[in-house]
Amino acid sequence: MTTATRAPRTPSATATTTTTRSSPSAPAPSLPSLTGLRWMAALLVFGLHVHNFHYFDGTAGSLVTWAFGAGATGVSFFFVLSGFVLTWSARPGDRAPAFWRRRIARILPVHLVTAAIALLMAYTLAHQSKPTLSQGLANVLLVHSWWRPWWQTLDPVSWSLACEAFFYAVFPLLALLLRRLGARGAAALAGASVLAVLGLAWVDAHRWLGQQIYSFPAARLPEFVLGVAVARLVLLDRWRGPGLEASLALAIIGYFLVPHVPHITDGYPATVCTVIGFALLIAAAAVADLHGLPSMWRHRRLVRLGELSFAFYMVHLLVLRAGTNVLGTKPLFGPTAGLAVTAVAFAVSLGLSWVLYEAVERPARRLLLRRRPSAEPRAVVRQPDGQEA
């Protein structure tokens, strides 16, 4: 999961942004709308899990299913966004070890803390599965998504981090190839990525591989590469997609199309309905920030929530699972009680995400990325706030 914050707010700042982008040695301008959008994707996943825990019964349950039954596509949004932001914020002349160090500092501290919480819950609360030693080690090392029986070990949502870890491993090579690609090459790469998603969805829908590929890191790579290719087009100022409003409409249409198309009601195939709309929306939001166009996604409160979204994503399912000790596994409340319980779960998750962000994510990142003192002073190029995802 990635972050991009703080955009130009004035015409003069926008002009500065244009100048900065024209200089290959300068850091790329920040894109706060993408951070706001990241919060909305996290909410889709939260709503999906509320649906899966059966907080609502009757008509209220049907409404939750309608609104969040396709919430798993929020993870697809994260994958596309990750490719876009990493390409956007790539440093000229950056070496793979330095890149990997920054990625480890970004995701590992919160992952280790939430894994420890999940382990504690497994041995102290009811309704929790206890991992084996090999499962626990695979989770900590973020390789558990490569084998389906392990994919939801400890904190279940960490399966997507195993996918992200694979993306990070291959990104330096992708970045090297991208430097050789012009606009046509980047457009061809984007098209090939969409075709790959369609092909994999067809294979998964017909179970040709004998098991689902929803959590398999290599199968999710095309979504990440799509984000990479789209970012390259925006960087080259050759993006010609629809504006923010039209892109949002296409993303929403694709999202609500998921339950109405045969063979894609769940799992990986649902991605085919949303991946194009998500890519268009991410690019449109970036262009809106670059040119100072209106964007509700860069509102300061949404941006702040977007900064908390990674921690929120990592902790919310643990909160819902802990709640089964009080509520049971399928409480099936009416509308009022269901809303009250959902509000409490949301508030607790958001509060814990703030604690994780302020007490773990930020200080751990500063500590892990602290520069070692050198014998000779050297100039430091400051990255835009939030680009260090």
Side-chain angles (χ1 to χ4, degrees):
M1 298 176 64
T2 49
T3 307
T5 59
R6 308 288 189 272
R9 296 183 179 179
T10 65
S12 60
T14 305
T16 302
T17 294
T18 304
T19 303
T20 301
R21 291 180 68 234
S22 66
S23 174
S25 61
S30 52
L31 306 171
S33 291
L34 301 190
T35 305
L37 283 169
R38 193 158 66 99
W39 171 250
M40 300 309 297
L43 280 185
L44 290 181
V45 179
F46 174 79
L48 171 70
H49 289 144
V50 168
H51 164 266
N52 291 346
F53 276 74
H54 304 282
Y55 279 7
F56 293 89
D57 193 13
T59 303
S62 299
L63 287 174
V64 172
T65 300
W66 173 79
F68 296 108
T73 58
V75 180
S76 178
F77 182 91
F78 290 139
F79 290 158
V80 179
L81 179 64
S82 181
F84 188 100
V85 172
L86 290 185
T87 302
W88 185 260
S89 59
R91 301 176 179 182
D94 198 11
R95 294 185 177 182
F99 168 78
W100 290 327
R101 182 185 175 209
R102 295 195 302 273
R103 304 320 304 162
I104 289 172
R106 174 66 178 90
I107 69 170
L108 194 60
V110 171
H111 166 57
L112 293 179
V113 170
T114 51
I117 294 172
L119 186 62
L120 179 64
M121 288 172 54
Y123 285 92
T124 58
L125 300 179
H127 313 299
Q128 313 296 320
S129 59
K130 296 179 176 62
T132 64
L133 178 60
S134 55
Q135 287 175 327
L137 288 175
N139 179 275
V140 168
L141 297 175
L142 291 177
V143 295
H144 54 301
S145 284
W146 290 95
W147 193 35
R148 181 74 180 185
W150 289 358
W151 75 293
Q152 288 198 321
T153 306
L154 294 176
D155 187 2
V157 298
S158 65
W159 72 266
S160 66
L161 290 192
C163 295
E164 291 280 1
F166 173 61
F167 303 160
Y168 301 159
V170 302
F171 180 75
L173 178 59
L174 280 174
L176 182 64
L177 295 175
L178 273 178
R179 295 190 188 103
R180 302 173 181 269
L181 286 182
R184 290 184 179 180
L189 182 62
S193 300
V194 172
L195 290 177
V197 170
L198 294 174
L200 287 168
W202 178 268
V203 168
D204 191 61
H206 291 81
R207 301 292 189 267
W208 286 358
L209 299 179
Q211 64 177 9
Q212 291 184 329
I213 61 173
Y214 176 76
S215 61
F216 191 61
R220 308 311 297 254
L221 184 62
E223 296 152 83
F224 176 80
V225 175
L226 176 60
V228 167
V230 169
R232 179 65 175 167
L233 288 169
V234 176
L235 281 166
L236 294 172
D237 198 23
R238 297 294 297 275
W239 178 256
R240 299 295 182 267
L244 192 53
E245 293 81 3
S247 298
L248 178 61
L250 290 172
I252 292 174
I253 290 171
Y255 177 83
F256 285 107
L257 186 64
V258 169
H260 299 289
V261 177
H263 305 301
I264 64 169
T265 55
D266 64 348
Y268 186 91
T271 307
V272 302
C273 290
T274 57
V275 68
I276 294 177
F278 286 164
L280 293 175
L281 178 59
I282 289 168
V287 170
D289 285 348
L290 289 173
H291 296 282
L293 301 176
S295 170
M296 65 178 179
W297 307 109
R298 76 169 73 102
H299 189 281
R300 62 182 181 85
R301 290 181 181 174
L302 270 180
V303 171
R304 176 56 176 168
L305 289 170
E307 291 171 348
L308 302 179
S309 62
F310 174 54
F312 180 86
Y313 174 80
M314 292 298 294
V315 80
H316 80 275
L317 191 52
L318 298 180
V319 172
L320 295 176
R321 293 179 75 178
T324 60
N325 288 266
V326 178
L327 306 173
T329 55
K330 290 185 178 182
L332 296 174
F333 296 118
T336 303
L339 283 172
V341 171
T342 300
V344 170
F346 175 81
V348 172
S349 299
L350 186 59
L352 289 176
S353 68
W354 179 84
V355 172
L356 280 173
Y357 180 75
E358 295 293 344
V360 177
E361 186 175 336
R362 292 184 65 192
R365 195 189 320 176
R366 286 195 299 265
L367 178 64
L368 293 173
L369 298 181
R370 184 172 54 187
R371 290 182 178 273
R372 297 178 180 178
S374 57
E376 297 180 1
R378 58 182 178 178
V380 176
V381 178
R382 186 176 298 278
Q383 289 294 309
D385 182 32
Q387 294 285 2
E388 189 68 62

